[in-house]
Amino acid sequence: MDRQVSAPADSKTVPTKPTRLRSFFHSQKMAPYFFVAPFVISFLLFMLYPIISAFYMSFQEILPGEETFVGLKNYQALNNEHFYAAVSNTVIYTIWTLIILIPVPLVLAVLIHSRFMLAPVLFRSALFLPALTSIVVGGAIFRLIFGEMDTAPMNTILIKLGFSPQQWAMEGGTAMFLMVALASWRWMGINLLYFLSGLQNIPKELYESAEIDGAGSLSKFFRITLPLLKPVTIYVLTISIYGGFTMFTESYVFWTNHSPGDIGLTLIGYLYQQSFENFNMGVGSAIGIVLLVTILVINIVQLKLFGQFRREE
Amino acid sequence: MYAKKKWLSLLLFALFAVLSFLALFPFFCLLLASFKPSTELLRYGLNLQLQPEILSLNNYYYLLADGRIYFVWFSNSVIITVLNTALALLFSSMVGYALAVYQFKWRNIIFATVLFVMMIPIEIILLPLYKLIVSLRLIDTYWGVILPFVVSPFAVFFFRQYAIGIPRDFIDAARIDGCTEFGIFFRIMRPLMAPAFGAMAILQALTSWNNLVWPLVVLHSEEKFTLPIGLSSLLTPYGNNYDILLSGAILSVIPIMILYLVFQRYFISGLTVGGIKG
C-alpha cells in the first residue's frame, strides 16, 4: 500500500503481520495530513467560511428571516460622521501606539541587555507584570487613577503641580491619552521581551570585532544592533498595526462602547454597535470587509517595503 | 574607565527604577482601593493617602459572603482557559511539527495559510462567526468560546520554528526502532519541545484568561460569564459594585501571576530559541 512503510520495524524479532492499520501508523506519507487536519478544518470552518459570508452579507440587507441583495448600499451607509470619527480615532490611536510601543521598548531592551545593567531580570519582570492583567482589570485601575474628582490620584498630582484638574474621560484629547496610556502600560513589557529575545540571538563576536575596529556605542547600535533587530522589529510593527486597527477593548473598558461625542469610538467598536446593538448586520459586515482590505493592503505594502516574511529553511 | 562604568550603571538603575515604579504603581492603586469602602471611593475617588482608619478587609468579606456569582465566573474562566490552552497546544504543536519535519504536497500552501491567518484579526469576522456559532447551537456554551480558537496560528508558527531547530537524527533513530509516526511526535518530540510548550502555555493561558471580545459575543447568561465579562459588567458608571469589582480584580490577577512565575524560565528561553529569526 505504501512504499515508505519502514521496513526495519517489520523485520525485527517480533513477527507481526503488516496490517493496513499498522502501515497507516508507520506511514510517513499519511502522518503529515493527520497532523495538519485540525488546522485545515478549523481554518475552513472558522476563518474562510466567515470571511466569505461576511463578504456576501455586506451586500445584503438582513432582517429576521429576510435577506435582500442591496448592492453597495451598506458601503454607502458608511458615509456618516460616526464612521469618520471611528476611522480618525483608530488611525490616530494606531499612530500613537507605533510611536510609543516600538522605539521605547527597543531602546529599553538594548539598555537592559547592556553590560552596565544591574538586576536586569528583576526589571524585566517588573515591566512585564502589567501584561498579565486583563484589559478589564487594567481599565478599572485606570478609571480609578484618572477619576474626574479633584481628589483622584492624577488630578491631585496635576493640582499640586499647578495645573487644572481634568475630566479625563470626557474630552477628545484626554480620552485618546487614556486609551494610549492603557495600551502602553499593558504592552510595553511584551514588546520589550520580543526585542530582548531578538538581542539574545545577535552573536557577541560582532560587537567584539566592531570594538577592535574602534566603533563607539552609538555606531555599534546603528550599524549592528538596529539592522540585526530588523526581523523582530518588523514582527512587532506588524502586530502593532493590526492591534491598533482592531482596537476595541481599550475603549470598551472606559465607556462600554458609548463615549460622549464618539471620542472613544473605534472601527471595531462601530462594527460591534452596528452588528450587535442596532442589528444592521449588512453594515456591520461592510465595516469588517473595509477593515480586512485595509489591513491586507497595509501588510502587503509593508512586506514589499521590507521584503520580509520570506521563510528561512 | 571604572568610574565611568559605575556612573552609567547607577544612571541606568535610576531610570529603570522610575519605569518600574510607573509599571507597578497602578497595581498599588488597585490594592489600596480594594481595602477602602466603596462609598468613600465613589464620593472622593481614590486618594493616595493610606488613611489606616478606613482600611478594612470588608471588600474581600463581601466577595466571599455575597460573591457566589463571582466564583461561578472564576470557575468558568478556569474551565475555558484550561481546555482552550490544552487543545491549542496539542493541535498547534502537531501542525507546527508536521510543517517542520515532513515533505508533503500541501506543505507550502498550508504554511502560507498560517501566515495569512496570523494577519487576520478575529474581530473582523465577529458577525459571521457569531452566526455560525448560533447555527451550530453553541451559543452561550464553553465550546462556542473555545472551538474557533483550538488552533492558534501564532503557536503553529512558533512550534514550527522550534521543531526546525531539533536534529533529525532523533526522528530517524526512533523510526529504526519501530516507533510509529505518532509515537515519534508524542514520545520523542514532545519532551524535546518542552521549552516551546512552556512559552506557548503561558501565552495561550494569558490570552484565554483575559479574552474579552469573543466571550462577550458568545456568552449571554450571567451564569456562563467569564471573569473579564463579569468584571466589566460591574464597571457601571454608578459604581454600585465597586466593593466586589476591586477585590475580584485582585483575585483574578493572582492565578495568572502564579502561572507566569512558575513557567517564567521556560517562557523566556522558549521565546528566545523559537523566536523570530530572519
Side-chain angles (χ1 to χ4, degrees), chain A:
Chain A
M1 180 193 146
D2 191 334
R3 282 175 293 112
Q4 291 184 329
V5 172
S6 47
D10 295 337
S11 61
K12 282 260 163 143
T13 44
V14 197
T16 40
K17 271 184 203 162
T19 61
R20 281 176 79 91
L21 194 65
R22 272 188 65 84
S23 69
F24 171 76
F25 283 124
H26 285 280
S27 161
Q28 287 178 47
K29 232 178 179 176
M30 299 306 292
Y33 294 102
F34 174 84
F35 284 128
V36 298
F39 172 75
V40 174
I41 295 168
S42 111
F43 169 74
L44 294 177
L45 188 60
F46 296 116
M47 184 58 82
L48 192 62
Y49 170 73
I51 289 177
I52 293 169
S53 82
F55 188 70
Y56 194 66
M57 278 157 68
S58 73
F59 298 105
Q60 286 183 323
E61 186 172 326
I62 296 156
L63 300 168
E66 194 190 326
E67 290 161 7
T68 28
F69 189 76
V70 292
L72 289 173
K73 201 178 133 205
N74 291 326
Y75 290 92
Q76 283 154 359
L78 295 183
N79 187 4
N80 71 61
E81 54 182 352
H82 301 293
F83 182 71
Y84 291 129
V87 171
S88 120
N89 287 337
T90 303
V91 171
I92 293 172
Y93 170 86
T94 306
I95 292 173
W96 274 116
T97 52
L98 293 184
I99 292 176
I100 294 171
L101 282 172
I102 294 179
V104 178
L106 196 159
V107 171
L108 292 183
V110 171
L111 292 179
I112 285 193
H113 197 64
S114 81
R115 62 197 141 141
F116 300 112
M117 190 67 200
L118 301 165
V121 178
L122 180 75
F123 286 120
R124 186 189 69 196
S125 302
L127 293 177
F128 186 75
L129 276 189
L132 298 176
T133 59
S134 77
I135 184 74
V136 177
V137 173
I141 302 177
F142 270 61
R143 282 163 74 137
L144 281 172
I145 296 178
F146 294 95
E148 52 206 55
M149 295 91 154
D150 290 357
T151 45
M154 203 37 96
N155 277 343
T156 317
I157 294 171
L158 282 185
I159 292 170
K160 279 209 177 116
L161 293 175
F163 297 99
S164 52
Q166 298 288 319
Q167 303 269 45
W168 296 95
M170 293 305 191
E171 279 152 61
T174 50
M176 182 57 70
F177 173 79
L178 284 185
M179 295 187 283
V180 173
L182 178 55
S184 307
W185 179 67
R186 284 185 69 235
W187 278 97
M188 190 66 74
I190 297 180
N191 288 357
L192 182 73
L193 278 194
Y194 283 134
F195 285 120
L196 271 176
S197 75
L199 285 173
Q200 271 157 17
N201 287 330
I202 299 180
K204 285 223 163 41
E205 298 79 42
L206 283 178
Y207 292 105
E208 282 159 14
S209 55
E211 268 161 32
I212 292 168
D213 292 346
S217 307
L218 273 184
S219 84
K220 272 187 287 180
F221 176 75
F222 284 106
R223 301 265 174 89
I224 300 175
T225 313
L226 219 46
L228 285 173
L229 279 183
K230 194 176 143 193
V232 187
T233 312
I234 286 167
Y235 176 75
V236 174
L237 182 69
T238 310
I239 57 172
S240 304
I241 289 176
Y242 94 50
F245 271 91
T246 58
M247 191 275 269
F248 169 60
T249 48
E250 277 81 0
S251 157
Y252 184 85
V253 292
F254 285 114
W255 302 280
T256 336
N257 213 11
H258 293 277
S259 51
D262 291 339
I263 52 175
L265 188 67
T266 67
L267 279 169
I268 295 294
Y270 192 50
L271 183 154
Y272 189 90
Q273 263 182 22
Q274 291 296 325
S275 310
F276 297 103
E277 290 170 13
N278 305 350
F279 299 103
N280 279 331
M281 303 209 173
V283 177
S285 303
I287 302 168
I289 295 297
V290 169
L291 244 178
L292 178 67
V293 172
T294 312
I295 287 182
L296 283 182
V297 167
I298 291 177
N299 270 319
I300 290 166
V301 168
Q302 190 205 320
L303 297 190
K304 283 263 178 241
L305 275 182
F306 296 107
Q308 263 301 322
F309 269 131
R310 241 178 268 124
R311 285 163 297 117
E312 77 286 356
E313 287 301 313

Side-chain angles (χ1 to χ4, degrees), chain A residues 6 8-9 12 24-28 31-36 38-40 42-43 45-47 49-51 53-54 57 62 67 108 111-112 114-119 121 123-137 139-145 149 151-153 185-186 190 193-194 197 200-201 231-232 235 238 242 246 248-249 252-253 256 268 271-272 275-276 280-282 284-285 288-289 291-292 295-296 299 303 308-309 311-313, chain B residues 5 8-9 12-13 15-17 19-20 22-27 29-30 33 41-48 91 94-95 97-98 102 104-108 110-111 113-133 136 147-148 150-151 154 157 160-161 164 175-182 185 206 210 212-213 216-217 228 231-232 235-237 242 245-246 249 252-253 256-257 260 264 267-268 271-272 276-278:
Chain A
S6 47
K12 282 260 163 143
F24 171 76
F25 283 124
H26 285 280
S27 161
Q28 287 178 47
Y33 294 102
F34 174 84
F35 284 128
V36 298
F39 172 75
V40 174
S42 111
F43 169 74
L45 188 60
F46 296 116
M47 184 58 82
Y49 170 73
I51 289 177
S53 82
M57 278 157 68
I62 296 156
E67 290 161 7
L108 292 183
L111 292 179
I112 285 193
S114 81
R115 62 197 141 141
F116 300 112
M117 190 67 200
L118 301 165
V121 178
F123 286 120
R124 186 189 69 196
S125 302
L127 293 177
F128 186 75
L129 276 189
L132 298 176
T133 59
S134 77
I135 184 74
V136 177
V137 173
I141 302 177
F142 270 61
R143 282 163 74 137
L144 281 172
I145 296 178
M149 295 91 154
T151 45
W185 179 67
R186 284 185 69 235
I190 297 180
L193 278 194
Y194 283 134
S197 75
Q200 271 157 17
N201 287 330
V232 187
Y235 176 75
T238 310
Y242 94 50
T246 58
F248 169 60
T249 48
Y252 184 85
V253 292
T256 336
I268 295 294
L271 183 154
Y272 189 90
S275 310
F276 297 103
N280 279 331
M281 303 209 173
S285 303
I289 295 297
L291 244 178
L292 178 67
I295 287 182
L296 283 182
N299 270 319
L303 297 190
Q308 263 301 322
F309 269 131
R311 285 163 297 117
E312 77 286 356
E313 287 301 313
Chain B
K5 182 182 176 234
L8 254 174
S9 294
L12 278 184
F13 190 82
L15 172 72
F16 277 89
L19 290 171
S20 301
L22 287 179
L24 300 180
F25 175 71
F27 288 108
C29 289
L30 179 68
L41 290 173
L42 271 179
R43 200 172 314 150
Y44 303 109
L46 172 70
N47 64 40
L48 289 177
F91 291 140
M94 278 164 53
V95 182
Y97 167 75
Y102 294 100
F104 58 105
K105 202 175 160 193
W106 293 86
R107 192 177 77 149
N108 290 340
I110 289 176
F111 185 60
T113 313
V114 171
L115 294 182
F116 171 75
V117 177
M118 278 171 75
M119 289 177 193
I120 306 296
I122 202 72
E123 287 86 350
I124 284 174
I125 51 166
L126 218 49
L127 186 59
L129 201 54
Y130 169 78
K131 290 184 77 177
L132 178 67
I133 292 297
L136 292 175
L147 271 187
V150 285
V151 186
F154 176 76
F157 182 76
R160 174 189 173 270
Q161 302 293 94
I164 284 177
R175 273 190 195 130
I176 291 166
D177 288 344
C179 197
T180 65
E181 294 300 311
F182 308 99
F185 174 70
L206 187 61
N210 290 337
L212 175 66
V213 181
L216 187 69
V217 170
L231 289 177
S232 77
L235 265 179
T236 58
Y242 261 41
L245 172 69
L246 296 171
S252 80
V253 179
I256 207 78
M257 281 207 179
Y260 173 70
Q264 189 184 19
F267 186 53
I268 309 289
L271 266 190
T272 308
I276 317 92
K277 304 165 205 159

Side-chain angles (χ1 to χ4, degrees), chain B residues 233-247:
Chain B
S233 74
L234 299 178
L235 265 179
T236 58
Y238 319 106
N240 41 358
N241 298 308
Y242 261 41
D243 33 21
I244 296 184
L245 172 69
L246 296 171
S247 46

